[in-house]
Amino acid sequence: MDVVTSSELMTGLLSAIGTGILLVLATSRAPKALHDEIALRVERSIALIDTCKDARTR
């Protein structure tokens, strides 16, 4: 059985803490705000695609 070095242990702990923080932040957001943000990004993407299509046809 391999022994974990202190730097590997610290890296693992920091990774676990970072992942936990990201999960807490992602799950603590209000669903409506997240839905609105996703809808806004989709609208922007569609507008950008339309702009690219118009530029290509010219």
Side-chain angles (χ1 to χ4, degrees):
M1 185 178 221
D2 293 329
V3 177
V4 179
T5 64
S6 61
S7 62
E8 291 172 338
L9 179 63
M10 290 302 291
T11 302
L13 287 174
L14 289 174
S15 297
I17 291 169
T19 302
I21 290 171
L22 286 175
L23 284 172
V24 167
L25 288 174
T27 57
S28 67
R29 295 183 71 175
K32 173 106 174 76
L34 183 59
H35 180 268
D36 291 346
E37 184 177 337
I38 291 171
L40 180 63
R41 288 186 184 201
V42 168
E43 288 176 11
R44 287 180 182 166
S45 298
I46 291 171
L48 182 62
I49 290 170
D50 289 343
T51 303
C52 291
K53 283 182 182 178
D54 290 342
R56 212 177 333 149
T57 58
R58 290 182 185 173

